[in-house]
Amino acid sequence: ASAQPIIFASRSFLEFTDYSWLEVRTINSTKLLIGPETDAGTLTALAQAKEDAKPMTARLRLYKRDRTPFWSQLFISPLLDEAGRPEKWLE
């Protein structure tokens, strides 16, 4: 699956993680948030769910800009076009 640009991040997310909108918009935010205790198996499962165009819920240990860890409950779901193909993702 190809990387899709982030088109929205809440002010709360930006304030909590201490990343700017420009950073989140231009850098793969997943890579910004990954750290040593982020479970690789869960990341692989999320990537597979996107490849298969399936929704998924997962709990991940992620990191703020200052590398403070936090738990995140993620939900991903494809937003389908008229032909039923994933056009965008809700994450």
Side-chain angles (χ1 to χ4, degrees):
S2 62
Q4 294 186 357
I6 294 171
I7 58 173
F8 174 79
S10 72
R11 183 176 304 171
S12 294
F13 172 83
L14 298 174
E15 289 173 358
F16 179 75
T17 62
D18 198 33
Y19 284 108
S20 71
W21 167 241
L22 180 62
E23 290 169 309
V24 170
R25 176 89 171 118
T26 58
I27 301 171
N28 181 332
S29 69
T30 304
K31 290 182 181 178
L32 287 176
L33 302 172
I34 290 175
E37 294 179 22
T38 303
D39 183 67
T42 302
L43 293 175
T44 299
L46 286 162
Q48 187 63 53
K50 287 185 96 169
E51 185 70 29
D52 297 341
K54 303 284 186 194
M56 181 178 169
T57 300
R59 186 171 181 237
L60 274 175
R61 185 82 154 167
L62 299 175
Y63 294 80
K64 299 178 184 185
R65 171 189 285 286
D66 68 3
R67 307 316 290 159
T68 301
F70 66 96
W71 286 104
S72 179
Q73 184 76 23
L74 287 142
F75 172 74
I76 64 169
S77 183
L79 301 175
L80 306 177
D81 64 16
E82 292 177 4
R85 294 180 303 257
E87 182 176 20
K88 295 180 177 138
W89 282 85
L90 177 64
E91 298 185 31

Coordinates of all heavy atoms in Angstrom, one line a residue:
A1 N 0.8 -1.2 0.0 CA 0.0 0.0 0.0 C 0.9 1.2 0.0 O 1.9 1.3 0.7 CB -0.9 0.0 1.2
S2 N 0.5 2.2 -0.8 CA 1.3 3.4 -0.9 C 0.9 4.3 0.3 O -0.2 4.3 0.9 CB 1.0 4.1 -2.2 OG -0.3 4.5 -2.2
A3 N 1.9 5.1 0.7 CA 1.7 6.1 1.8 C 0.8 7.1 1.3 O 0.9 7.6 0.2 CB 3.0 6.7 2.2
Q4 N -0.2 7.5 2.2 CA -1.1 8.5 1.8 C -0.9 9.7 2.7 O -0.6 9.6 3.9 CB -2.6 8.0 2.0 CG -2.9 7.0 1.0 CD -4.4 6.6 1.1 OE1 -5.1 7.1 1.9 NE2 -4.8 5.7 0.2
P5 N -1.0 10.9 2.2 CA -0.7 12.1 3.0 C -1.8 12.3 4.1 O -2.9 11.9 3.9 CB -0.8 13.3 2.0 CG -1.6 12.8 0.9 CD -1.4 11.3 0.8
I6 N -1.4 12.8 5.2 CA -2.3 13.2 6.3 C -3.0 14.5 5.9 O -2.3 15.5 5.5 CB -1.5 13.3 7.6 CG1 -1.0 11.9 8.0 CG2 -2.4 13.9 8.7 CD1 0.0 11.9 9.1
I7 N -4.3 14.5 5.9 CA -5.0 15.7 5.5 C -5.7 16.4 6.7 O -6.2 17.5 6.6 CB -6.1 15.4 4.5 CG1 -7.1 14.3 5.0 CG2 -5.4 14.9 3.2 CD1 -8.3 14.1 4.0
F8 N -5.6 15.8 7.9 CA -6.1 16.4 9.1 C -5.4 15.9 10.4 O -5.2 14.6 10.4 CB -7.6 16.3 9.2 CG -8.2 16.8 10.5 CD1 -8.4 18.1 10.7 CD2 -8.4 15.9 11.6 CE1 -8.9 18.6 11.9 CE2 -8.9 16.4 12.8 CZ -9.1 17.8 13.0
A9 N -5.1 16.7 11.3 CA -4.7 16.3 12.6 C -5.3 17.3 13.6 O -5.2 18.5 13.4 CB -3.2 16.3 12.8
S10 N -5.9 16.8 14.7 CA -6.6 17.7 15.6 C -5.5 18.5 16.4 O -4.4 18.1 16.5 CB -7.4 16.9 16.6 OG -6.6 16.2 17.5
R11 N -6.0 19.7 16.8 CA -5.1 20.5 17.6 C -4.7 19.8 18.9 O -3.6 19.9 19.3 CB -5.9 21.8 18.0 CG -5.0 22.8 18.8 CD -5.8 24.0 19.1 NE -6.2 24.6 17.9 CZ -7.0 25.7 17.7 NH1 -7.5 26.2 18.8 NH2 -7.3 26.1 16.6
S12 N -5.6 19.0 19.5 CA -5.2 18.2 20.7 C -4.1 17.3 20.4 O -3.2 17.1 21.2 CB -6.5 17.4 21.2 OG -7.5 18.3 21.6
F13 N -4.1 16.6 19.2 CA -3.0 15.7 18.9 C -1.7 16.4 18.8 O -0.7 16.0 19.3 CB -3.4 15.0 17.6 CG -2.2 14.2 17.0 CD1 -1.9 12.9 17.5 CD2 -1.3 14.7 16.1 CE1 -0.9 12.2 17.0 CE2 -0.3 14.0 15.6 CZ 0.0 12.7 16.1
L14 N -1.8 17.6 18.1 CA -0.5 18.4 17.9 C 0.0 18.9 19.2 O 1.2 18.8 19.5 CB -0.8 19.5 16.9 CG -1.3 19.1 15.5 CD1 -1.6 20.4 14.7 CD2 -0.2 18.3 14.8
E15 N -0.9 19.3 20.1 CA -0.4 19.8 21.4 C 0.1 18.7 22.3 O 1.1 18.8 22.9 CB -1.6 20.6 22.1 CG -1.9 21.9 21.5 CD -3.2 22.5 22.1 OE1 -3.8 21.9 23.0 OE2 -3.5 23.6 21.6
F16 N -0.6 17.5 22.2 CA -0.2 16.4 23.0 C 1.2 15.9 22.6 O 2.0 15.6 23.5 CB -1.2 15.3 23.0 CG -0.9 14.1 23.8 CD1 -1.0 14.1 25.1 CD2 -0.4 12.9 23.1 CE1 -0.7 13.0 25.9 CE2 -0.1 11.8 23.9 CZ -0.3 11.8 25.3
T17 N 1.4 15.7 21.3 CA 2.7 15.1 20.8 C 3.8 16.2 20.7 O 4.9 15.8 20.5 CB 2.5 14.4 19.5 OG1 2.0 15.4 18.5 CG2 1.5 13.3 19.6
D18 N 3.4 17.5 20.6 CA 4.4 18.6 20.4 C 5.0 18.6 19.0 O 6.0 19.1 18.8 CB 5.5 18.6 21.5 CG 6.1 19.9 21.6 OD1 5.5 21.0 21.4 OD2 7.4 20.0 21.9
Y19 N 4.3 18.0 18.1 CA 4.7 18.1 16.7 C 3.8 19.2 16.0 O 2.7 19.4 16.4 CB 4.5 16.8 15.9 CG 5.5 15.8 16.3 CD1 5.3 14.7 17.0 CD2 6.8 16.0 15.8 CE1 6.2 13.8 17.3 CE2 7.8 15.1 16.1 CZ 7.5 14.0 16.9 OH 8.5 13.1 17.2
S20 N 4.4 19.9 15.0 CA 3.7 20.9 14.3 C 2.8 20.3 13.2 O 3.1 19.2 12.7 CB 4.6 22.0 13.7 OG 5.4 21.4 12.6
W21 N 1.9 21.0 12.7 CA 1.1 20.6 11.6 C 2.0 20.3 10.4 O 1.9 19.3 9.6 CB 0.0 21.5 11.2 CG -0.7 21.3 9.9 CD1 -0.7 22.1 8.8 CD2 -1.4 20.1 9.5 NE1 -1.4 21.5 7.8 CE2 -1.8 20.2 8.2 CE3 -1.7 18.9 10.2 CZ2 -2.5 19.2 7.5 CZ3 -2.4 17.9 9.5 CH2 -2.8 18.1 8.1
L22 N 3.0 21.2 10.1 CA 3.9 21.0 9.0 C 4.6 19.7 9.1 O 4.8 18.9 8.1 CB 4.8 22.2 8.9 CG 5.9 22.1 7.8 CD1 5.1 22.1 6.4 CD2 6.8 23.3 7.8
E23 N 5.1 19.4 10.3 CA 5.8 18.1 10.5 C 4.9 16.9 10.2 O 5.3 16.0 9.5 CB 6.4 18.0 11.9 CG 7.5 19.0 12.2 CD 7.9 19.1 13.6 OE1 7.0 19.3 14.5 OE2 9.1 18.9 13.9
V24 N 3.7 16.9 10.8 CA 2.8 15.8 10.6 C 2.4 15.7 9.1 O 2.3 14.6 8.6 CB 1.6 16.0 11.5 CG1 0.5 15.0 11.2 CG2 2.0 15.9 13.0
R25 N 2.2 16.8 8.5 CA 1.8 16.8 7.1 C 2.9 16.3 6.1 O 2.6 15.7 5.1 CB 1.3 18.2 6.7 CG 0.9 18.4 5.3 CD -0.5 18.1 5.1 NE -0.9 18.5 3.8 CZ -1.4 17.7 2.9 NH1 -1.5 16.4 3.2 NH2 -1.8 18.1 1.7
T26 N 4.1 16.7 6.4 CA 5.2 16.4 5.4 C 6.0 15.2 5.8 O 6.7 14.7 4.9 CB 6.1 17.7 5.3 OG1 6.7 18.0 6.6 CG2 5.4 18.8 4.8
I27 N 6.0 14.8 7.0 CA 6.8 13.6 7.4 C 5.8 12.5 7.7 O 4.8 12.8 8.3 CB 7.7 13.9 8.6 CG1 8.6 15.1 8.3 CG2 8.5 12.7 9.1 CD1 9.4 15.6 9.5
N28 N 6.1 11.3 7.4 CA 5.3 10.2 7.8 C 5.1 10.2 9.3 O 6.0 9.8 10.0 CB 5.9 8.9 7.3 CG 5.0 7.6 7.6 OD1 4.3 7.6 8.6 ND2 5.1 6.6 6.8
S29 N 3.9 10.5 9.8 CA 3.7 10.7 11.2 C 3.9 9.4 12.0 O 4.3 9.4 13.1 CB 2.3 11.3 11.5 OG 1.3 10.4 11.2
T30 N 3.6 8.3 11.3 CA 3.9 7.0 12.0 C 5.3 6.9 12.4 O 5.6 6.5 13.5 CB 3.5 5.8 11.1 OG1 2.1 6.0 10.7 CG2 3.6 4.5 11.8
K31 N 6.2 7.3 11.5 CA 7.6 7.2 11.8 C 8.0 8.2 12.9 O 8.9 7.9 13.7 CB 8.5 7.4 10.5 CG 8.4 6.3 9.6 CD 9.2 6.5 8.4 CE 9.0 5.3 7.4 NZ 9.8 5.4 6.2
L32 N 7.3 9.3 12.9 CA 7.6 10.3 14.0 C 7.3 9.7 15.4 O 8.0 10.0 16.4 CB 6.7 11.5 13.8 CG 7.0 12.5 12.8 CD1 6.0 13.6 12.7 CD2 8.4 13.1 12.9
L33 N 6.3 8.9 15.5 CA 5.7 8.4 16.7 C 6.3 7.1 17.2 O 6.1 6.7 18.3 CB 4.2 8.3 16.6 CG 3.4 9.6 16.3 CD1 2.0 9.3 16.1 CD2 3.6 10.6 17.4
I34 N 7.0 6.3 16.3 CA 7.5 5.0 16.7 C 8.7 5.1 17.5 O 9.6 6.0 17.3 CB 7.8 4.2 15.4 CG1 6.5 3.9 14.7 CG2 8.6 3.0 15.7 CD1 6.7 3.2 13.3
G35 N 8.9 4.2 18.5 CA 10.0 4.2 19.4 C 10.4 2.8 19.7 O 9.8 1.8 19.2
P36 N 11.3 2.6 20.7 CA 11.8 1.3 21.0 C 10.8 0.3 21.6 O 11.0 -0.9 21.4 CB 12.9 1.6 22.0 CG 12.6 2.9 22.6 CD 11.9 3.6 21.5
E37 N 9.7 0.7 22.2 CA 8.7 -0.2 22.7 C 7.5 -0.3 21.9 O 6.5 -0.9 22.3 CB 8.3 0.3 24.1 CG 9.5 0.2 25.1 CD 9.1 0.7 26.5 OE1 7.9 0.7 26.9 OE2 10.0 1.0 27.3
T38 N 7.5 0.3 20.6 CA 6.4 0.1 19.7 C 6.5 -1.3 19.1 O 7.5 -1.7 18.6 CB 6.5 1.2 18.6 OG1 6.5 2.5 19.1 CG2 5.3 1.0 17.6
D39 N 5.4 -2.0 19.2 CA 5.4 -3.4 18.8 C 5.4 -3.6 17.3 O 4.5 -3.2 16.6 CB 4.2 -4.1 19.4 CG 4.1 -5.6 19.1 OD1 5.0 -6.3 19.6 OD2 3.3 -6.0 18.3
A40 N 6.5 -4.2 16.8 CA 6.6 -4.4 15.3 C 5.5 -5.3 14.7 O 5.1 -5.1 13.6 CB 8.0 -4.9 15.0
G41 N 5.1 -6.3 15.5 CA 4.1 -7.2 15.0 C 2.7 -6.4 14.8 O 2.0 -6.7 13.9
T42 N 2.4 -5.5 15.7 CA 1.2 -4.7 15.6 C 1.3 -3.8 14.4 O 0.3 -3.6 13.6 CB 0.9 -3.9 16.8 OG1 0.8 -4.8 17.9 CG2 -0.4 -3.1 16.7
L43 N 2.5 -3.2 14.1 CA 2.7 -2.4 13.0 C 2.5 -3.2 11.7 O 1.9 -2.7 10.7 CB 4.1 -1.7 13.0 CG 4.3 -0.7 14.1 CD1 5.8 -0.2 14.0 CD2 3.4 0.5 13.9
T44 N 3.0 -4.4 11.7 CA 2.9 -5.3 10.5 C 1.4 -5.6 10.3 O 0.9 -5.6 9.2 CB 3.7 -6.6 10.7 OG1 5.1 -6.2 10.8 CG2 3.5 -7.5 9.5
A45 N 0.7 -5.9 11.4 CA -0.8 -6.2 11.3 C -1.6 -5.0 10.7 O -2.5 -5.2 9.9 CB -1.3 -6.7 12.6
L46 N -1.2 -3.8 11.2 CA -1.9 -2.6 10.7 C -1.6 -2.4 9.2 O -2.5 -2.1 8.4 CB -1.4 -1.4 11.5 CG -2.0 -1.2 12.9 CD1 -1.2 -0.3 13.7 CD2 -3.5 -0.8 12.8
A47 N -0.4 -2.6 8.8 CA 0.0 -2.5 7.4 C -0.8 -3.5 6.5 O -1.2 -3.2 5.4 CB 1.5 -2.7 7.2
Q48 N -0.9 -4.7 7.0 CA -1.6 -5.8 6.3 C -3.1 -5.4 6.2 O -3.7 -5.7 5.2 CB -1.4 -7.1 7.0 CG -2.0 -8.3 6.2 CD -1.4 -8.5 4.9 OE1 -0.2 -8.6 4.8 NE2 -2.2 -8.5 3.8
A49 N -3.7 -4.9 7.3 CA -5.1 -4.5 7.3 C -5.3 -3.4 6.2 O -6.3 -3.5 5.4 CB -5.5 -4.0 8.6
K50 N -4.3 -2.5 6.1 CA -4.5 -1.5 5.0 C -4.3 -2.1 3.6 O -5.1 -1.8 2.7 CB -3.4 -0.4 5.2 CG -3.8 0.5 6.4 CD -2.8 1.7 6.5 CE -3.4 2.9 5.8 NZ -2.6 4.1 6.1
E51 N -3.4 -3.0 3.5 CA -3.2 -3.7 2.2 C -4.5 -4.4 1.8 O -4.9 -4.5 0.6 CB -2.0 -4.7 2.3 CG -1.7 -5.4 1.0 CD -1.0 -4.4 0.0 OE1 -0.4 -3.5 0.4 OE2 -1.2 -4.7 -1.2
D52 N -5.1 -5.1 2.8 CA -6.4 -5.8 2.5 C -7.6 -4.9 2.6 O -8.7 -5.5 2.4 CB -6.5 -6.9 3.6 CG -5.4 -7.9 3.5 OD1 -4.7 -8.0 2.5 OD2 -5.2 -8.6 4.6
A53 N -7.5 -3.6 2.8 CA -8.6 -2.7 2.9 C -9.6 -3.1 3.9 O -10.8 -3.1 3.7 CB -9.3 -2.5 1.5
K54 N -9.1 -3.5 5.1 CA -9.9 -4.0 6.2 C -9.8 -3.0 7.4 O -8.6 -2.6 7.7 CB -9.5 -5.4 6.7 CG -9.6 -6.4 5.6 CD -11.0 -6.8 5.3 CE -11.0 -8.0 4.3 NZ -12.3 -8.2 3.8
P55 N -10.8 -2.7 8.1 CA -10.7 -1.9 9.3 C -10.0 -2.7 10.4 O -10.0 -4.0 10.4 CB -12.1 -1.6 9.8 CG -13.0 -2.6 9.1 CD -12.2 -3.1 7.9
M56 N -9.3 -2.0 11.3 CA -8.6 -2.7 12.4 C -8.5 -1.8 13.6 O -8.4 -0.6 13.5 CB -7.2 -3.1 12.0 CG -6.4 -3.9 13.0 SD -4.8 -4.4 12.4 CE -4.1 -4.9 14.0
T57 N -8.5 -2.4 14.8 CA -8.2 -1.6 16.0 C -7.0 -2.2 16.7 O -6.8 -3.5 16.7 CB -9.4 -1.8 17.0 OG1 -10.6 -1.2 16.4 CG2 -9.2 -1.0 18.3
A58 N -6.1 -1.4 17.2 CA -4.9 -1.9 17.8 C -4.5 -0.9 18.9 O -4.8 0.3 18.9 CB -3.8 -2.0 16.8
R59 N -3.7 -1.4 19.9 CA -3.2 -0.6 20.9 C -1.7 -0.6 20.8 O -1.0 -1.6 20.7 CB -3.5 -1.2 22.3 CG -3.1 -0.4 23.5 CD -3.7 -1.0 24.7 NE -3.3 -0.1 25.9 CZ -2.7 -0.6 26.9 NH1 -2.4 -1.8 27.0 NH2 -2.4 0.2 27.9
L60 N -1.1 0.6 20.7 CA 0.3 0.8 20.4 C 1.0 1.7 21.4 O 0.4 2.7 21.9 CB 0.6 1.4 19.0 CG 0.6 0.5 17.8 CD1 0.7 1.3 16.6 CD2 1.8 -0.5 17.9
R61 N 2.2 1.4 21.8 CA 3.1 2.3 22.6 C 3.7 3.2 21.6 O 4.5 2.8 20.7 CB 4.1 1.4 23.3 CG 4.9 2.2 24.3 CD 4.2 2.4 25.5 NE 5.2 2.6 26.6 CZ 4.8 3.0 27.8 NH1 3.5 3.2 28.0 NH2 5.7 3.2 28.7
L62 N 3.4 4.5 21.7 CA 4.0 5.5 20.8 C 4.7 6.5 21.6 O 4.8 6.5 22.8 CB 2.9 6.1 19.9 CG 2.1 5.2 19.0 CD1 0.9 5.9 18.3 CD2 3.0 4.5 18.0
Y63 N 5.3 7.5 20.9 CA 6.2 8.5 21.5 C 5.9 9.9 21.1 O 5.8 10.2 19.9 CB 7.7 8.1 21.3 CG 8.0 6.8 21.9 CD1 7.7 5.6 21.3 CD2 8.7 6.8 23.1 CE1 8.0 4.4 21.9 CE2 9.0 5.6 23.8 CZ 8.7 4.4 23.2 OH 9.0 3.2 23.8
K64 N 6.0 10.8 22.0 CA 5.9 12.2 21.8 C 7.2 12.7 21.2 O 8.2 12.0 21.2 CB 5.5 13.0 23.0 CG 4.2 12.6 23.7 CD 4.0 13.4 25.0 CE 2.8 13.0 25.7 NZ 2.5 13.9 26.9
R65 N 7.2 14.0 20.8 CA 8.5 14.6 20.3 C 9.6 14.4 21.3 O 10.8 14.1 20.9 CB 8.3 16.1 20.0 CG 9.6 16.8 19.7 CD 9.4 18.3 19.7 NE 8.8 18.7 18.5 CZ 9.3 18.8 17.3 NH1 10.6 18.4 17.1 NH2 8.6 19.2 16.2
D66 N 9.4 14.6 22.6 CA 10.4 14.5 23.6 C 10.7 13.1 24.0 O 11.5 12.8 24.9 CB 10.1 15.4 24.8 CG 8.9 14.8 25.6 OD1 8.4 13.8 25.3 OD2 8.5 15.5 26.6
R67 N 10.1 12.1 23.3 CA 10.3 10.7 23.4 C 9.7 10.1 24.7 O 9.9 9.0 25.1 CB 11.8 10.3 23.4 CG 12.5 10.8 22.1 CD 11.8 10.6 20.8 NE 11.7 9.2 20.4 CZ 10.7 8.8 19.5 NH1 9.9 9.7 19.0 NH2 10.7 7.6 19.2
T68 N 8.7 10.9 25.3 CA 7.9 10.4 26.3 C 6.9 9.4 25.7 O 6.2 9.7 24.8 CB 7.1 11.5 27.0 OG1 8.0 12.5 27.5 CG2 6.2 11.0 28.1
P69 N 6.9 8.1 26.3 CA 6.0 7.1 25.7 C 4.5 7.3 26.1 O 4.3 7.9 27.2 CB 6.5 5.8 26.2 CG 7.2 6.2 27.5 CD 7.7 7.6 27.3
F70 N 3.6 6.9 25.3 CA 2.2 6.9 25.7 C 1.5 5.7 24.9 O 2.0 5.3 23.9 CB 1.5 8.2 25.3 CG 1.4 8.6 23.9 CD1 0.3 8.3 23.1 CD2 2.5 9.2 23.2 CE1 0.2 8.6 21.8 CE2 2.4 9.5 21.9 CZ 1.3 9.2 21.1
W71 N 0.4 5.3 25.5 CA -0.4 4.2 24.8 C -1.4 4.9 23.9 O -2.1 5.9 24.3 CB -1.1 3.4 25.9 CG -0.1 2.4 26.5 CD1 0.4 2.5 27.8 CD2 0.4 1.2 26.0 NE1 1.2 1.5 28.1 CE2 1.3 0.7 27.0 CE3 0.3 0.6 24.7 CZ2 2.0 -0.5 26.7 CZ3 1.1 -0.6 24.5 CH2 1.9 -1.1 25.5
S72 N -1.6 4.4 22.8 CA -2.6 4.9 21.8 C -3.5 3.7 21.3 O -3.0 2.7 20.9 CB -1.9 5.5 20.6 OG -2.9 6.0 19.7
Q73 N -4.8 4.0 21.4 CA -5.7 3.0 20.9 C -6.1 3.5 19.5 O -6.6 4.6 19.3 CB -7.0 3.0 21.7 CG -8.0 2.0 21.3 CD -7.7 0.6 21.7 OE1 -6.9 0.3 22.6 NE2 -8.2 -0.4 21.0
L74 N -5.6 2.8 18.5 CA -5.8 3.2 17.1 C -6.9 2.4 16.4 O -7.1 1.2 16.7 CB -4.5 2.9 16.3 CG -3.3 3.8 16.6 CD1 -2.1 3.0 16.6 CD2 -3.3 4.8 15.5
F75 N -7.7 3.1 15.6 CA -8.7 2.5 14.8 C -8.4 3.0 13.4 O -8.3 4.2 13.1 CB -10.1 2.9 15.2 CG -11.2 2.4 14.3 CD1 -11.5 1.1 14.2 CD2 -11.8 3.3 13.5 CE1 -12.5 0.7 13.3 CE2 -12.8 2.9 12.6 CZ -13.1 1.6 12.5
I76 N -8.3 2.1 12.4 CA -8.2 2.4 11.0 C -9.4 1.8 10.2 O -9.8 0.7 10.6 CB -6.9 2.0 10.4 CG1 -6.7 0.5 10.3 CG2 -5.7 2.6 11.1 CD1 -5.5 0.0 9.5
S77 N -9.8 2.6 9.3 CA -10.9 2.1 8.4 C -10.8 2.7 7.1 O -10.6 4.0 6.9 CB -12.3 2.4 9.1 OG -13.3 1.9 8.3
P78 N -11.0 2.0 6.0 CA -10.9 2.5 4.7 C -12.2 3.4 4.4 O -13.3 3.0 4.8 CB -10.8 1.3 3.7 CG -11.5 0.2 4.5 CD -11.2 0.5 5.9
L79 N -12.0 4.5 3.7 CA -13.1 5.2 3.1 C -13.1 4.9 1.6 O -12.1 5.2 0.9 CB -12.9 6.7 3.4 CG -12.7 7.1 4.8 CD1 -12.4 8.6 4.9 CD2 -14.0 6.8 5.6
L80 N -14.2 4.3 1.2 CA -14.2 3.7 -0.2 C -14.7 4.7 -1.2 O -15.6 5.5 -0.9 CB -15.1 2.4 -0.1 CG -14.7 1.4 0.9 CD1 -15.7 0.2 0.9 CD2 -13.3 0.9 0.7
D81 N -14.2 4.5 -2.4 CA -14.8 5.3 -3.5 C -16.0 4.6 -4.1 O -16.4 3.6 -3.5 CB -13.7 5.5 -4.6 CG -13.2 4.3 -5.3 OD1 -13.9 3.2 -5.2 OD2 -12.2 4.3 -6.0
E82 N -16.6 5.1 -5.1 CA -17.8 4.6 -5.7 C -17.7 3.1 -6.2 O -18.6 2.4 -6.2 CB -18.4 5.5 -6.8 CG -18.8 6.8 -6.3 CD -19.3 7.7 -7.4 OE1 -19.3 7.3 -8.6 OE2 -19.6 8.9 -7.1
A83 N -16.4 2.8 -6.5 CA -16.2 1.4 -7.0 C -15.8 0.4 -5.9 O -15.6 -0.7 -6.1 CB -15.0 1.4 -8.0
G84 N -15.8 0.9 -4.6 CA -15.5 0.1 -3.5 C -14.1 -0.1 -3.2 O -13.7 -0.9 -2.4
R85 N -13.2 0.8 -3.8 CA -11.8 0.7 -3.5 C -11.5 1.8 -2.5 O -12.1 2.9 -2.4 CB -11.0 1.1 -4.8 CG -11.2 0.0 -5.9 CD -10.4 0.4 -7.1 NE -10.8 1.7 -7.6 CZ -11.5 1.9 -8.7 NH1 -12.0 0.9 -9.4 NH2 -11.9 3.1 -9.0
P86 N -10.5 1.5 -1.6 CA -10.1 2.5 -0.6 C -9.5 3.7 -1.3 O -8.6 3.7 -2.1 CB -9.0 1.8 0.2 CG -8.8 0.4 -0.3 CD -9.7 0.3 -1.5
E87 N -10.1 4.9 -1.0 CA -9.7 6.2 -1.5 C -8.8 6.9 -0.5 O -7.8 7.5 -0.8 CB -10.9 7.0 -1.9 CG -10.6 8.3 -2.5 CD -11.9 9.0 -2.9 OE1 -13.0 8.7 -2.5 OE2 -11.7 9.9 -3.8
K88 N -9.3 6.8 0.8 CA -8.6 7.5 1.9 C -8.8 6.6 3.1 O -9.5 5.6 3.0 CB -9.2 8.8 2.2 CG -8.9 9.8 1.1 CD -9.5 11.2 1.4 CE -9.2 12.1 0.3 NZ -10.3 13.0 0.0
W89 N -8.1 6.9 4.2 CA -8.2 6.1 5.4 C -8.5 7.0 6.6 O -8.0 8.1 6.7 CB -6.9 5.4 5.7 CG -6.7 4.2 4.8 CD1 -6.2 4.2 3.6 CD2 -7.0 2.9 5.1 NE1 -6.2 2.9 3.1 CE2 -6.7 2.1 4.0 CE3 -7.6 2.3 6.3 CZ2 -7.0 0.7 4.0 CZ3 -7.8 0.9 6.2 CH2 -7.5 0.2 5.1
L90 N -9.4 6.6 7.4 CA -9.7 7.2 8.7 C -8.8 6.5 9.7 O -8.9 5.3 9.8 CB -11.2 7.0 9.0 CG -11.7 7.6 10.3 CD1 -11.5 9.1 10.3 CD2 -13.1 7.2 10.6
E91 N -8.0 7.3 10.4 CA -7.1 6.7 11.3 C -7.1 7.6 12.6 O -7.2 8.7 12.6 CB -5.6 6.7 10.8 CG -5.5 5.9 9.6 CD -4.1 5.8 9.1 OE1 -3.1 5.8 9.9 OE2 -3.9 5.6 7.9

